[in-house]
Amino acid sequence: MDLEGIDLARVPVHIACVMDGNGRWAAARGLPRTEGHVAGEEALLEAVEGALELGVGWLTVYAFSTENWRRPADEVRFLMHFNESLLLRRRDEMHAKGVRIRFAGRRDWRVPRRVLRRMDESVAMTAGNRRMTLTLAFNYGGRAEIVDAVRRLVEDGVRADRVDERAIRSRLYFPDMPDPDLVVRTSGEYRISNFLLWELAYSELVFMDVLWPDFRRDHLAQAVREYQGRSRRYGGVVGAAGHSRRIEAGRR
Ligand code: IPE
Ligand code: IPE
Ligand code: MG
């Protein structure tokens, strides 16, 4: 990977990717949309490899949104089983590389039981790994995550005057996950599409014109370069006491 111009001491702690453009990649080749998802597997492996090379500790990828159920039934069915088979094909090598696999999203009745079982097996298999945490956002919606957190607040009987950001954050799907420093969206769309709404309050957003199946580790490096050129202010003022230290650390 081309690391030219990247300061390895300031790489993002957490990168999140909206893997978008599979359908358009396939359409451009006269192929069915599902072939775009198939080709996206290579891009996902590239992103994982690139993140490992960069020393990124957390990588989160948007694999299926709570809104993606609106797609034709055939495509939804394909995506469910494709994600299951991808796990079967790839989890051993992920495990060998020291990647901890996790899933963020709702386990509702629409996700086939067999898929849930593969997910649980993969989580259990890799639970002890610490080199990198790969979170697959699957049947994930940012609003759904906040709704689920609020439900838990109510279930826990938290009084209104005790509700603060910490009370909500501690009820998100993974309270131990640092907020993404960098969000990369491919395919030239400039939107968030209900990804990590709470967590990306101060993330740097990089939108790339490449379609996801064409994404390679050098694209990740390019996004990190752009990230390193940004000035993160968190509502403050550059140069003010206590501020530059946070930038140095590359996180919140
Ligand atoms: C992203 O590619 C994959 C998923 C949302 C599952 P798309 O399928 O959204 O591809 P486009 O945006 O239609 O090109
Ligand atoms: C976002 O992409 C969801 C995933 C990448 C899984 P979409 O293709 O579903 O988003 P929209 O519909 O263009 O906003
Ligand atoms: Mg899309």
Side-chain angles (χ1 to χ4, degrees):
M1 181 168 52
D2 178 14
L3 295 173
E4 177 78 34
I6 293 179
D7 177 355
L8 288 175
R10 288 193 314 125
V11 298
V13 171
H14 182 182
I15 300 180
C17 295
V18 180
M19 312 187 285
D20 195 22
N22 296 352
R24 277 163 282 171
W25 183 92
R29 286 162 180 75
L31 299 168
R33 292 178 52 80
T34 48
E35 287 302 312
H37 303 315
V38 171
E41 178 171 343
E42 182 67 30
L44 174 59
L45 296 176
E46 282 282 318
V48 169
E49 278 303 321
L52 288 170
E53 274 183 54
L54 285 162
V56 170
W58 301 76
L59 178 68
T60 299
V61 296
Y62 207 1
F64 192 89
S65 77
T66 47
E67 287 70 41
N68 286 148
W69 298 105
R70 293 180 186 150
R71 296 188 175 200
D74 278 359
E75 183 173 347
V76 168
R77 205 172 309 121
F78 177 89
L79 283 169
M80 290 296 136
H81 295 293
F82 179 67
N83 277 293
E84 181 198 356
S85 64
L86 187 150
L87 270 182
L88 277 176
R89 271 194 304 283
R90 302 298 182 178
R91 64 186 181 193
D92 289 335
E93 64 188 87
M94 295 288 171
H95 184 43
K97 290 185 207 304
V99 174
R100 170 171 63 166
I101 297 173
R102 286 181 174 182
F103 292 88
R106 279 192 175 159
R107 299 173 65 98
D108 66 38
W109 57 273
R110 293 172 295 184
V111 181
R113 284 248 287 282
R114 227 186 43 212
V115 179
L116 291 174
R117 205 176 319 129
R118 293 295 169 239
M119 289 162 54
D120 292 342
E121 288 166 6
S122 310
V123 168
M125 172 183 204
T126 61
N129 295 339
R130 284 297 177 273
R131 189 170 166 211
M132 185 172 86
T133 299
L134 173 65
T135 305
L136 296 144
F138 188 75
N139 193 19
Y140 174 87
R143 289 183 174 174
E145 180 175 25
I146 295 170
V147 167
D148 290 350
V150 171
R151 284 184 183 163
R152 292 182 54 201
L153 276 173
V154 174
E155 280 167 11
D156 293 346
V158 179
R159 276 174 23 195
D161 62 355
R162 291 291 174 87
V163 176
D164 55 13
E165 290 188 12
R166 220 169 79 184
I168 294 175
R169 179 181 290 281
S170 67
R171 289 169 177 83
L172 296 177
Y173 294 144
F174 292 111
D176 64 336
M177 182 179 84
D179 287 344
D181 301 293
L182 167 63
V183 177
V184 179
R185 182 172 187 147
T186 57
S187 91
E189 305 289 1
Y190 295 81
R191 55 176 171 264
I192 294 303
S193 300
N194 203 14
F195 193 35
L196 302 173
L197 294 183
W198 177 280
E199 296 87 340
L200 52 74
Y202 271 103
S203 304
E204 293 299 328
L205 309 179
V206 171
F207 297 96
M208 306 186 95
D209 259 331
V210 62
L211 299 172
W212 181 255
D214 292 326
F215 189 87
R216 292 295 173 267
R217 64 193 79 182
D218 280 334
H219 292 103
L220 192 73
Q222 191 186 319
V224 169
R225 249 178 244 114
E226 176 155 351
Y227 163 84
Q228 291 191 337
R230 304 261 180 102
S231 163
R232 302 185 78 184
R233 290 190 284 277
Y234 302 93
V237 175
V238 174
H243 180 256
S244 58
R245 189 176 43 80
R246 286 191 299 249
I247 293 180
E248 290 298 310
R251 55 185 304 186
R252 251 183 308 135

